[in-house]
Amino acid sequence: DSGVTQTPKHLITATGQRVTLRCSPRSGDLSVYWYQQSLDQGLQFLIQYYNGEERAKGNILERFSAQQFPDLHSELNLSSLELGDSALYFCASSVDARGGEGPNEQFFGPGTRLTVL
Amino acid sequence: GQNIDQPTEMTATEGAIVQINCTYQTSGFNGLFWYQQHAGEAPTFLSYNVLDGLEEKGRFSSFLSRSKGYSYLLLKELQMKDSASYLCAVSAASGGSYIPTFGRGTSLIVHP
């Protein structure tokens, strides 16, 4: 158990719909990362938040957005869903001290499997 | 951008040793991670290298050569439970943060 929780575990929805995925980081971790993993693309970095602020953006579509709340939990919102959005969505957290101490290992949650029909 | 290459699949025998290679091209290199991922589960951290050389951790070791853009993960005394995907991830500095880019993973099959 990594200490990172994600809900829901599974989500089945239809094209055009909007969903929200939730993540609670490990106690004490300030950084949250979101990843998408599909069979043909591998693990793709979407976005990072640090202590409530957006820190880095990867290959995140405009239809997707995220935020990190004062209690440090994070939500990933996916809208106007398409069939190709079906994937495993992972959240990871790390300590990530500001100021260039170097990268830290990331602890991954169990993931949310999204199926768009 | 970053480019990470690792073999798609490898097979090995229980009790043997296997080496999984990873080559990368990146700017702002700040370290290389190896993660293990069983099918349908979350990746779990195995090792981290930032300096050249070998890091040993029990049955698993990881090597890095920054000048060659090369790393390998060495698994000794293979067990059936080591059958999993092994992800090489290169960390690069990006606007005050460190973002890992993951390779596609090497699927390791351990057979009796």
Side-chain angles (χ1 to χ4, degrees):
Chain A
D1 184 355
S2 68
V4 178
T5 60
Q6 287 186 250
T7 56
K9 280 191 112 171
H10 301 277
L11 200 47
I12 301 174
T13 188
T15 55
Q17 295 299 305
R18 172 191 165 96
V19 297
T20 297
L21 313 184
R22 195 180 192 277
C23 167
S24 292
R26 284 190 327 154
S27 176
D29 284 357
L30 298 178
S31 258
V32 168
Y33 301 76
W34 285 98
Y35 293 90
Q36 179 192 58
Q37 187 175 41
S38 55
L39 282 173
D40 58 342
Q41 288 291 326
L43 200 61
Q44 298 286 312
F45 167 69
L46 296 178
I47 197 165
Q48 180 205 2
Y49 278 81
Y50 174 82
N51 205 19
E53 293 182 5
E54 182 184 303
R55 191 86 170 270
K57 245 179 177 176
N59 300 322
I60 187 167
L61 299 171
E62 284 192 16
R63 300 184 286 110
F64 295 1
S65 65
Q67 53 185 326
Q68 187 179 28
F69 294 87
D71 67 352
L72 299 178
H73 91 270
S74 178
E75 292 181 356
L76 179 67
N77 302 296
L78 316 176
S79 61
S80 304
L81 284 168
E82 301 175 0
L83 295 177
D85 297 328
S86 296
L88 256 177
Y89 290 84
F90 285 107
C91 163
S93 74
S94 71
V95 172
D96 258 8
R98 223 180 163 91
E101 289 183 15
N104 294 281
E105 68 180 271
Q106 296 184 7
F107 296 86
F108 283 78
T112 293
R113 182 171 292 283
L114 174 66
T115 303
V116 183
L117 301 175
Chain B
Q2 301 186 47
N3 191 30
I4 300 172
D5 280 315
Q6 46 181 136
T8 305
E9 188 175 292
M10 298 181 71
T11 59
T13 307
E14 193 176 14
I17 299 173
V18 72
Q19 177 175 312
I20 302 174
N21 296 324
C22 171
T23 58
Y24 63 90
Q25 293 173 309
T26 188
S27 54
F29 175 84
N30 216 286
L32 188 144
F33 294 86
W34 283 96
Y35 284 82
Q36 180 192 60
Q37 185 178 25
H38 286 97
E41 297 183 10
T44 54
F45 170 80
L46 290 178
S47 69
Y48 169 63
N49 296 69
V50 65
L51 300 175
D52 288 356
L54 189 68
E55 294 280 342
E56 296 189 75
K57 231 184 190 183
R59 294 190 299 116
F60 293 12
S61 305
S62 57
F63 171 83
L64 175 68
S65 168
R66 288 173 301 173
S67 62
K68 294 181 179 175
Y70 168 69
S71 173
Y72 67 72
L73 179 70
L74 195 70
L75 293 78
K76 303 174 190 172
E77 300 168 20
L78 280 172
Q79 303 174 10
M80 299 297 288
K81 67 178 182 179
D82 297 329
S83 292
S85 184
Y86 290 85
L87 310 176
C88 170
V90 173
S91 182
S94 172
S97 190
Y98 301 95
I99 303 303
T101 299
F102 284 80
R104 298 286 293 272
T106 298
S107 178
L108 175 66
I109 301 167
V110 180
H111 55 82

